[in-house]
């Protein structure tokens, strides 16, 4: 399959990019192209215009903003994996980045592109939900912040408007004694996850969050998990009940996701 | 000179260009004025075509079957009694019978533009109920794919026998329902065709990524109504085949017709979506199989009813009978038992046609019989390899005609099994199994054996009566004026290293260094007829033919050499690439120089046929060589997630005399990778309407480097008494046993839980469901 015909623009400023999105309805944004490329080839999307934001300098910037590190949307997974981007999480982001797909994908794929694509099985969505990140977005008129829990409105759907651009992500720094666990069940190295479990224990900030990802929608957030608070093993029965409470009904899905979270908790507490 | 002949692991001549990205595949061919083709394909699995609406402005760029004047349907028949061949129009006529079936072909300067045109063609289809499951397809009320059949059966093939004596004597009877998933073969390079009509030669040239160029020419001539001299088929570098490229494609016919009628070259390159969702599949088998044994471990009999989901059409040349027909005769495999009966149904379904994939039916057959053998062993309470050991054909019985009339030519199956058991060290694994792994995973140990009929020839295929019957395999050998060799062979390589291994045969016979041998292969214009590269046949057949051709040249070389040495011809011999007499020698290069460039120095009795010949070769008996192997594996099973890890994998195989052991190891490892795909990952699911559900590699999972273990390979070398040098065909074997060995290991791990897997691939969902079902069963 080859893409249907489209126009391609690579503006060098954010305002130009936003102007294009405003003026051409249905225009698609490309950053690393690791998801959009195949979708174009399969003709699942046939935009009139593709706006390449990878040449806008601030889109690749990484800034320290006190409590947060702010990543431009075009920071690549590889830059995070390699430690070329500042990391206020004590290596958590680098660890997650290193497990995304294959190195070739990580070299081009971007943190903002992954979030904007909103594939439930993607790593950043689950990992950054556990960390309590905030998305920054802009259109021609204003900038706003969206809590990551509110980003995804459905599979491959987000709260980002059609003339709006996901510009970056603000990741809160972790306390020195925070503990983190991440467990991904993949049928094959580099493949999208069948289930993701993330556990964060950050007593200084009072955060005891479990996240279950690679579901059929947004990641499931389980706050104030007793096991993370008490530093004890998770109660398998309780986790399964909570997943059912979030609408999961296939015993296989419940099993896989519960185990992923159990193992993430184990890792965090180990 | 360093020996480079038979038995030497000579580095592959092909690798230099492949590893540097300098191979030349169909996709690398660009001709002046070439246009690209894209196809309108059926969105439905079964439908009547009511109308095809082509906008007026696209006339001349879109062709349907009605435009392909004079083109006949593809018909692959068989002489087997009761066989019903389908008529497959290259572009659909009347009905479509699978999603992805070709309806129209669109041409444009680029593929993207051709796809734009294809998207504009509206096809009015009246949907018909689809046959998606082979078992439902066998039922009397099933919708019919080919109305003229009266049912959905291409063929029912049987090995008739009386099972009653075994049933009567048996202490233990075990029945299992076993399934293997439908797969895609997924070669790295898909199919691809460039077609061009040469006005000057009055000839159609088709560059195509195929395993059987001469057979494609036969088929093209039949369907397009051309004479053989008018068609030239050229396979360039071919990036993997595995059976997928052993078929005459409707696309090849369309492109041939277009090139002739447009007067310009046309190209079509299959994309991965076409490969996964539209073109031929493989492997889908279903078995109900029963084994009878005594309490002390004697296998008495086997009874099976098998179905093969053969898809929408009978493919050319293998037909829809080959896969199912091989099931019944291959089930007994390496075992010696007294009662057997089997029926195999080749069922037409609204899915892509099924093609023989590496190992042909044997991967499914091995899965069925080897799972049954383990189930019997568990039932008896015997270590599975010990149960096998009691029932194998013994070396002193060789050659052995087994209960399905297969003539096992040679081998020592018990030793092969024993070596594998020792090499894996099953005893130590059994101890570790009791302790389990520190992380809670369960250990399982599995063994599987097979034997593989290869290079079977005229009598076997004449009995099938398919449109392709291999006869003498020929090879042309020409010594060049500078003492090099040009080799002409009609079979083609799709990764088998023919350029290297054929040169090794030349080296063995004529002493010419491997680097000084050039192989011209596949091109119908320059090579002798061959049915092609399939059935693990080429090293045996072409190897034999090359040796015979070289041998025929030696007396001619001796006559010239003796004259140059000024000794009687009776006093010379051929040795290490030279004519040698006591104390003096003249090299092959010198002999060639005289024949071509200094003929004034030839003796009067020089043979006027010169330094080239084409010679044919057949086995002493054409029922095939039987290579065989034992695969033994230890796996870790995570009963929480359903994930598997291969902890150790051992293959002990006997391919007779090995021409290039390194190449054989490569074949085995490649086969293993595919076998692991069959065992754990690969499955093309369909929904109830016959829609394929895995349209990209993110849904159709093939194993990658980290999923394939570092297997340890040990060789035995029992020469075949039937073939030149004792070579046996080994190309497919690696892919046969892994699903059986791995699932036996999984079942070994699950046995204490009372759970058992009888379906491949072992996905996490299947594994967890089996455990859950066992728990439910135990709780109720």
């Amino acid at each position: 399959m080859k893409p249907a015909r489209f126009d391609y623009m690579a503006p060098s400023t954010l305002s130009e990019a936003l102007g294009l999105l405003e003026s051409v309805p249905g225009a698609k944004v490309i950053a690393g192209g690791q998801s959009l490329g195949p979708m174009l080839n399969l003709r699942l999307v046939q935009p009139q215009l593709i706006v390449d934001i990878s040449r806008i300098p601030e889109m690749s910037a990484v800034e320290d903003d006190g409590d947060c590190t702010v990543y431009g949307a075009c920071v690549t997974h590889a830059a995070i994996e390699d430690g070329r981007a500042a990391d206020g999480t004590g290596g958590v982001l680098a660890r997650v980045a290193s497990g995304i797909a294959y190195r070739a994908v990580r070299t081009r794929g971007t943190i903002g592109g992954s979030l904007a694509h909103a594939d439930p099985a993607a790593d950043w969505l689950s990992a950054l939900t556990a960390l309590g990140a905030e998305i920054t977005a802009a259109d021609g008129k204003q900038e706003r912040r969206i809590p990551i829990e509110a980003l995804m409105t459905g599979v491959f759907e987000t709260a980002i408007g059609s003339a709006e651009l996901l510009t970056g992500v603000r990741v809160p720094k972790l306390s020195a004694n925070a503990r983190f666990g991440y467990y991904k069940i993949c049928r094959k190295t580099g493949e999208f996850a069948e289930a993701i479990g993330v556990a964060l224990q950050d007593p200084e900030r009072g955060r005891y969050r479990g996240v279950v990802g690679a579901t059929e929608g947004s990641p499931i957030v389980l706050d104030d998990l007793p096991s993370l608070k008490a530093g004890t093993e998770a109660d398998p029965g309780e986790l399964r009940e909570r997943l059912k409470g979030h609408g999961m009904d296939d015993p296989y899905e419940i099993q896989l996701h519960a185990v992923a979270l159990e193992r993430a908790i184990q890792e965090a507490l180990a | 000179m360093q020996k480079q002949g038979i038995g030497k692991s000579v580095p592959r001549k092909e690798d230099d260009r492949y590893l540097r990205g300098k191979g030349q595949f169909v996709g690398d061919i660009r001709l002046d004025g070439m246009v690209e083709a894209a196809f309108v394909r059926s969105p439905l699995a079964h439908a009547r075509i009511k109308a095809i609406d082509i906008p007026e402005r696209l006339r001349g760029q879109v062709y349907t079957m009605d435009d392909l004047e004079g083109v006949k349907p593809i018909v692959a028949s068989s002489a087997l009694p009761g066989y019903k061949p389908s008529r497959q129009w290259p572009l659909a006529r009347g009905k479509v019978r699978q999603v992805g079936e070709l309806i129209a072909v669109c041409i444009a300067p680029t593929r993207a533009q051709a796809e734009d045109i294809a998207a504009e063609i509206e096809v009015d289809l009246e949907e018909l109920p689809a046959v998606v499951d082979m078992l439902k397809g066998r039922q009397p009320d099933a919708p019919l794919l080919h109305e003229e059949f009266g049912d959905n059966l291409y063929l029912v093939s049987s090995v008739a026998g009386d099972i009653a004596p075994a049933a009567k004597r048996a202490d233990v009877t075990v029945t299992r329902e076993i399934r293997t998933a439908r797969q895609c073969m997924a070669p790295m390079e898909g199919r691809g065709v460039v077609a061009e009509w040469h006005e000057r030669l009055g000839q159609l040239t088709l560059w195509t990524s195929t395993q059987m160029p001469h057979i494609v020419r036969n088929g093209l001539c039949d369907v397009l109504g051309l004479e053989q001299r008018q068609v030239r088929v050229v396979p360039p570098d071919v990036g993997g085949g595995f059976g997928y490229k052993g078929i005459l494609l409707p696309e090849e016919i369309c492109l041939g017709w277009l090139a002739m009628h447009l007067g310009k070259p046309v190209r079509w390159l299959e994309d991965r979506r076409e490969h996964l969702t539209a073109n031929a599949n493989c492997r889908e088998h279903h078995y109900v199989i029963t084994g009878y044994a005594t309490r002390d471990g004697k296998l008495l009999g086997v009874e099976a009813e098998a179905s093969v989901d053969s898809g929408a059409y009978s493919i050319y040349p293998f037909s829809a009978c080959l896969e199912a027909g091989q099931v019944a005769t291959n089930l007994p495999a390496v075992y010696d038992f007294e009662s057997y009966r089997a029926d195999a149904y080749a069922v037409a379904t609204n899915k892509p046609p099924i093609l023989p994939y590496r190992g042909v039916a044997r991967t499914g057959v091995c899965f069925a019989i080897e799972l049954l053998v383990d189930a019997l062993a568990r039932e008896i309470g015997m270590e599975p390899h010990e149960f096998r050991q009691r029932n194998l054909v013994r070396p002193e019985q060789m050659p052995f005609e087994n209960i399905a009339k297969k003539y096992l030519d040679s081998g020592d199956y018990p030793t092969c099994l024993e070596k594998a058991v020792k090499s894996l060290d099953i005893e130590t694994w059994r101890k570790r199994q009791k302790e389990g792994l520190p992380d809670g995973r369960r250990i399982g140990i599995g063994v599987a054996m097979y034997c593989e009929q290869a290079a079977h020839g005229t009598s076997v295929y004449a009995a099938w009566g398919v449109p392709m019957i291999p006869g003498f395999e020929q090879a042309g050998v020409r010594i060049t004026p500078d003492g090099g060799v040009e080799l002409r062979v009609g079979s083609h390589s799709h990764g088998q290293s023919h350029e290297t291994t054929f040169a090794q045969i030349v080296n063995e016979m004529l002493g010419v260094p491997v680097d000084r041998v050039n192989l011209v292969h596949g091109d119908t214009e320059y090579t002798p007829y061959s049915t092609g590269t399939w059935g693990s046949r080429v090293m045996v057949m072409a190897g034999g033919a090359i040796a015979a051709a070289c041998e025929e040249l030696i007396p001619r070389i001796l006559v010239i050499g003796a004259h140059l040495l000024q000794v009687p011809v009776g006093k010379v011999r051929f040795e290490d690439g030279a004519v040698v007499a006591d104390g003096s020698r003249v090299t092959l290069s010198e002999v060639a120089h005289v024949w071509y460039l200094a003929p004034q120095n030839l003796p009067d009795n020089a043979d006027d046929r010169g330094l080239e010949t084409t010679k044919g070769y057949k086995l002493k008996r054409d029922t095939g060589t039987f290579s065989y192997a034992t695969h033994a594996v230890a796996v870790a099973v995570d009963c929480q997630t359903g994930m598997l890890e291969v902890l150790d994998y051992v293959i002990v195989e006997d391919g007779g005399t090995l021409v290039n052991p390194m190449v054989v190891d490569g074949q085995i490892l490649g086969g293993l990778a595919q076998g692991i795909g069959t065992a754990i990952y690969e499955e093309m699911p369909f929904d109830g309407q016959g829609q394929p559900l895995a349209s990209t590699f993110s849904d159709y999972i093939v194993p990658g480097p980290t999923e394939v273990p570092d297997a340890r390979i040990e060789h035995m070398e029992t020469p075949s008494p039937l073939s030149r040098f004792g070579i046996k065909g080994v190309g497919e074997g690696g892919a046969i046993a892994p699903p059986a060995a791995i699932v036996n290991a999984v079942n070994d791990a699950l046995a204490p839980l009372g759970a058992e897997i009888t379906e491949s691939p072992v996905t996490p969902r299947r594994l967890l469901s089996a455990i859950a079902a066992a728990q439910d069963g135990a709780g109720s």
Side-chain angles (χ1 to χ4, degrees):
Chain A
M1 293 290 279
K2 302 287 181 201
R5 190 191 168 95
F6 59 83
D7 289 327
Y8 170 88
M9 305 281 273
S12 54
T13 67
L14 180 58
S15 60
E16 270 179 88
L18 294 174
L20 288 166
L21 294 178
E22 174 95 48
S23 59
V24 184
K28 276 273 176 192
V29 175
I30 196 167
Q34 296 306 289
S35 299
L36 186 61
M39 288 171 74
L40 286 168
N41 280 343
L42 292 166
R43 297 196 175 201
L44 295 173
V45 289
Q46 301 188 17
Q48 188 190 329
L49 172 68
I50 285 180
V51 181
D52 184 343
I53 58 167
S54 64
R55 295 187 201 170
I56 304 170
E58 62 261 46
M59 289 287 113
S60 299
V62 180
E63 282 165 18
D64 189 320
D65 190 22
D67 282 352
C68 286
T69 313
V70 185
Y71 297 89
C74 292
V75 173
T76 63
H77 314 316
I80 296 169
E81 176 184 17
D82 297 349
R84 286 180 275 132
D87 181 357
T89 62
V92 162
L93 293 186
R95 148 89 195 288
V96 172
S98 71
I100 297 173
Y102 307 91
R103 178 71 192 188
V105 171
R106 302 198 286 272
T107 299
R108 296 203 70 88
T110 65
I111 191 167
S114 170
L115 292 168
H117 183 54
D119 185 326
D123 292 82
W124 286 131
L125 199 61
S126 292
L128 294 174
T129 298
L131 294 170
E134 267 186 329
I135 306 301
T136 60
D139 61 17
K141 298 174 201 81
Q142 56 156 8
E143 275 185 48
R144 60 171 180 145
R145 291 185 189 177
I146 307 165
I148 193 162
E149 294 90 333
L151 173 68
M152 198 171 155
T153 55
V155 176
F156 303 122
E157 284 174 16
T158 67
I160 309 286
S162 61
E164 202 175 23
L165 181 66
L166 188 158
T167 53
V169 57
R170 301 172 58 84
V171 182
K173 293 179 183 170
L174 289 179
S175 314
N177 59 352
R179 301 166 93 178
F180 183 85
Y182 190 78
Y183 194 89
K184 181 158 75 153
I185 299 175
C186 290
R187 290 199 51 205
K188 172 184 169 183
T189 305
E191 213 42 75
F192 277 107
E194 302 282 304
I196 294 174
V198 201
L200 176 68
Q201 182 199 51
D202 193 348
E204 249 172 69
R205 288 159 186 255
R207 275 186 167 275
Y208 304 94
R209 177 171 273 195
V211 170
V212 169
T215 64
E216 288 181 359
S218 303
I220 295 169
V221 178
L222 304 174
D223 270 327
D224 298 322
L225 273 180
S227 57
L228 283 171
K229 274 187 153 168
T232 55
E233 276 212 359
D235 172 0
E238 188 213 324
L239 286 185
R240 281 163 179 74
E241 283 312 310
R242 290 187 68 169
L243 291 180
K244 282 184 202 167
H246 278 84
M248 219 180 248
D249 54 5
D250 177 351
Y252 167 78
E253 294 291 337
I254 293 170
Q255 166 72 8
L256 233 52
H257 288 84
V259 170
L261 182 55
E262 277 163 36
R263 292 187 182 176
I265 292 170
Q266 266 171 23
E267 188 200 320
L269 300 178
Chain B
M1 186 172 56
Q2 208 184 346
K3 291 276 186 202
Q4 296 178 308
I6 288 170
K8 297 285 176 284
S9 288
V10 176
R12 282 162 37 105
K13 293 173 69 178
E14 297 89 336
D15 282 343
D16 187 69
R17 72 174 186 279
Y18 287 149
L19 297 179
R20 292 173 200 278
K22 302 280 188 194
Q24 291 182 314
F25 299 87
V26 172
D28 297 310
I29 297 172
R30 284 184 177 76
L31 303 178
D32 278 349
M34 186 172 80
V35 293
E36 300 266 358
F39 289 91
V40 177
R41 291 176 180 271
S42 174
L44 298 178
H46 199 191
R48 216 171 294 288
I49 301 172
K50 296 178 77 179
I52 303 169
D53 182 23
I54 300 164
E56 200 49 44
R57 65 190 165 76
L58 296 177
R59 291 273 164 206
Q61 289 182 278
V62 184
Y63 298 85
T64 68
M65 196 62 227
D66 287 343
D67 299 308
L68 270 55
E69 217 168 288
V71 175
K72 288 183 277 201
I74 300 169
V75 180
S77 52
S78 157
L80 293 174
Y83 182 76
K84 287 168 268 182
S86 61
R87 287 159 60 83
Q88 180 185 13
W89 293 98
L91 297 170
R93 171 168 276 172
K95 275 205 338 183
V96 286
R97 294 182 180 84
Q98 63 158 104
V99 171
E101 182 165 352
L102 306 182
I103 292 175
V105 57
C106 309
I107 54 160
T110 67
R111 171 69 179 250
Q113 288 167 303
E115 287 182 18
D116 289 345
I117 295 171
E120 285 196 62
I121 308 306
E122 281 184 28
V123 184
D124 185 6
L125 295 173
E126 178 194 337
E127 188 163 12
L128 300 169
V131 177
V132 184
D133 181 88
M134 58 182 141
L135 299 181
K136 289 186 184 148
R138 280 177 54 184
Q139 289 169 4
D141 58 344
L144 295 182
L145 270 84
H146 304 279
E147 285 80 359
E148 67 276 17
F149 285 14
D151 55 24
N152 288 317
L153 298 174
Y154 294 109
L155 181 74
V156 183
S157 49
S158 300
V159 173
D162 186 8
I163 202 70
K168 208 167 167 187
R169 279 179 55 209
D171 306 314
V172 175
T173 301
V174 163
T175 298
R176 289 289 182 276
E177 184 177 357
I178 289 170
R179 247 183 202 273
T180 55
R182 185 168 264 258
Q183 281 182 248
C184 299
M185 287 179 244
M188 203 174 283
E189 182 211 21
R191 296 300 307 250
V193 184
V194 174
E196 183 180 33
W197 176 258
H198 288 90
E199 202 58 48
R200 178 174 61 83
L201 301 169
Q203 192 181 49
L204 174 69
T205 303
L206 204 85
W207 290 268
T208 183
S209 181
T210 184
Q211 295 174 222
M212 30 194 8
H214 292 267
I215 299 300
V216 168
R217 176 159 81 163
N218 291 352
L220 279 173
C221 289
D222 285 354
V223 174
L224 290 174
L226 295 171
E227 293 177 39
Q228 294 262 341
R229 64 179 176 83
Q230 293 177 294
V231 178
R232 176 183 174 193
V233 175
V234 189
D237 276 330
V238 175
F242 316 115
Y244 185 60
K245 297 172 182 175
I247 180 177
L248 172 68
L249 288 175
E251 289 91 341
E252 286 169 329
I253 295 159
C254 292
L255 264 78
W257 186 92
L258 285 169
M260 290 169 67
H261 289 81
L262 298 174
K264 49 187 159 189
V266 190
R267 181 170 82 161
W268 166 73
L269 298 179
E270 178 189 63
D271 65 32
R272 199 52 73 175
R273 193 182 208 192
E274 288 176 301
H275 172 68
L276 291 173
T277 63
N279 286 347
N281 298 156
C282 58
R283 286 277 192 266
E284 192 173 9
H285 293 197
H286 174 272
Y287 298 83
V288 176
I289 186 166
T290 302
Y292 302 91
T294 62
R295 183 59 61 194
D296 60 357
K298 174 70 194 148
L299 179 63
L300 300 171
V302 174
E303 186 178 15
E305 182 179 304
S307 301
V308 172
D309 187 320
S310 303
Y313 293 102
S314 169
I315 48 97
Y316 183 99
F318 286 115
S319 85
C321 76
L322 193 89
E323 179 87 7
Q326 299 247 15
V327 167
T329 53
N330 277 305
L331 264 171
V334 291
Y335 301 109
D336 180 16
F337 51 87
E338 60 206 36
S339 298
Y340 179 58
R341 57 160 289 127
D343 299 313
Y345 294 79
V347 188
T349 60
N350 291 110
K351 296 192 276 192
I354 205 138
L355 261 174
Y357 176 38
R358 197 174 200 173
V360 196
R362 293 175 198 85
T363 302
V365 163
C366 177
F367 192 67
I369 190 83
E370 291 294 272
L371 260 60
L372 179 75
V373 162
D374 263 40
L376 280 165
R378 274 195 301 276
E379 187 69 24
I380 293 168
M382 188 178 277
E383 174 72 58
H385 65 81
E386 282 169 20
F387 180 71
R388 282 186 175 77
Q389 197 58 267
R390 287 166 200 234
N391 294 291
L392 292 171
V393 176
R394 322 285 314 169
E396 59 273 17
Q397 291 173 284
M398 295 287 183
F400 179 74
E401 189 178 78
N402 78 7
I403 194 157
K405 304 270 183 265
K406 294 277 184 194
Y407 183 84
L408 311 178
D409 58 340
S410 67
D412 184 346
Y413 300 166
T415 300
C416 177
L417 174 59
E418 198 183 311
K419 278 175 178 280
V421 167
K422 278 213 182 103
S423 179
L424 188 75
D425 194 0
I426 288 184
E427 213 179 315
T428 303
W429 277 114
R430 285 282 174 226
K431 284 180 198 144
R432 289 184 65 185
Q433 186 178 37
K434 285 206 185 91
E435 296 150 18
L437 288 165
D439 59 13
R441 289 181 299 168
R442 291 176 171 273
I443 289 172
I445 300 124
V447 167
M449 298 181 75
Y450 69 87
C451 59
E452 189 202 354
Q453 185 181 21
H456 29 330
T458 312
S459 66
V460 178
Y461 278 81
W464 293 101
V466 293
M468 173 206 75
I469 297 168
F472 286 96
E473 191 76 14
Q474 291 172 297
V477 174
R478 175 193 287 163
I479 296 164
T480 56
D482 56 0
V485 167
E486 284 174 2
L487 207 49
R488 288 177 171 73
V489 174
S491 61
H492 196 68
S493 168
H494 45 278
Q496 288 85 349
S497 324
H498 292 170
E499 291 166 53
T500 306
T501 54
F502 290 180
Q504 288 182 257
I505 303 282
V506 173
N507 178 266
E508 180 77 25
M509 301 302 296
L510 298 178
V512 176
V514 157
D515 283 343
R516 298 209 61 208
V517 179
N518 256 37
L519 175 63
V520 178
H521 51 159
D523 188 332
T524 56
E525 194 83 342
Y526 297 120
T527 64
Y529 182 83
S530 168
T531 54
T533 305
W534 53 272
S536 300
R537 65 188 296 275
V538 171
M539 201 62 248
V540 176
M541 299 305 300
I546 292 162
C550 290
E551 212 159 47
E552 185 161 279
L553 294 180
I554 288 174
R556 307 185 202 170
I557 295 164
L558 290 179
V559 168
I560 301 171
H563 177 70
L564 296 177
L565 290 171
Q566 294 294 301
V567 294
V569 74
K571 298 275 185 196
V572 296
R573 62 189 188 278
F574 193 79
E575 201 177 278
D576 289 339
V579 179
V580 182
D582 293 335
S584 59
R585 64 202 299 270
V586 54
T587 65
L588 183 60
S589 302
E590 289 165 310
V591 169
H593 179 88
V594 170
W595 171 262
Y596 291 103
L597 305 174
Q600 67 276 19
N601 296 334
L602 286 171
D604 292 340
N605 61 342
D607 191 317
D608 58 14
R609 291 170 296 178
L611 301 181
E612 61 183 298
T613 189
T614 298
K615 188 81 179 147
Y617 171 75
K618 257 183 150 181
L619 297 185
K620 286 175 196 156
R621 183 194 158 104
D622 65 9
T623 49
T625 63
F626 280 78
S627 57
Y628 58 94
T630 307
H631 288 216
V633 57
V635 301
V637 182
D638 186 332
C639 293
Q640 295 287 302
T641 62
M643 304 294 278
L644 303 180
E645 186 192 350
V646 174
L647 301 172
D648 196 13
Y649 203 109
V650 169
I651 298 172
V652 180
E653 76 87 44
D654 188 342
T657 304
L658 304 183
V659 174
N660 184 322
M662 180 190 68
V663 164
V664 172
D665 283 357
Q667 289 277 16
I668 292 170
L669 291 173
L672 169 66
Q674 290 175 310
I676 283 176
T678 303
I680 309 178
Y681 302 103
E682 296 185 37
E683 178 168 19
M684 172 53 71
F686 289 78
D687 73 8
Q689 282 70 50
Q691 291 290 336
L693 297 178
S695 63
T696 70
F697 274 148
S698 62
D699 296 312
Y700 187 87
I701 301 180
V702 293
T706 56
E707 282 72 47
V708 181
D710 285 328
R712 288 177 285 130
I713 302 173
E714 289 177 31
H715 294 288
M716 293 165 61
E717 290 196 48
T718 313
S720 171
L722 305 178
S723 68
R724 185 77 197 247
F725 307 116
I727 301 168
K728 294 182 174 186
V730 291
E732 299 169 82
I736 295 174
I742 288 169
V743 175
N744 276 342
V746 169
N747 285 338
D748 183 58
L750 297 184
L753 305 176
E756 187 177 332
I757 302 280
T758 54
E759 192 171 354
S760 69
V762 191
T763 59
R765 188 181 282 276
R766 284 201 178 101
L767 206 149
L768 294 182
S769 302
I771 293 172
Q775 283 165 350
D776 289 352
S780 62

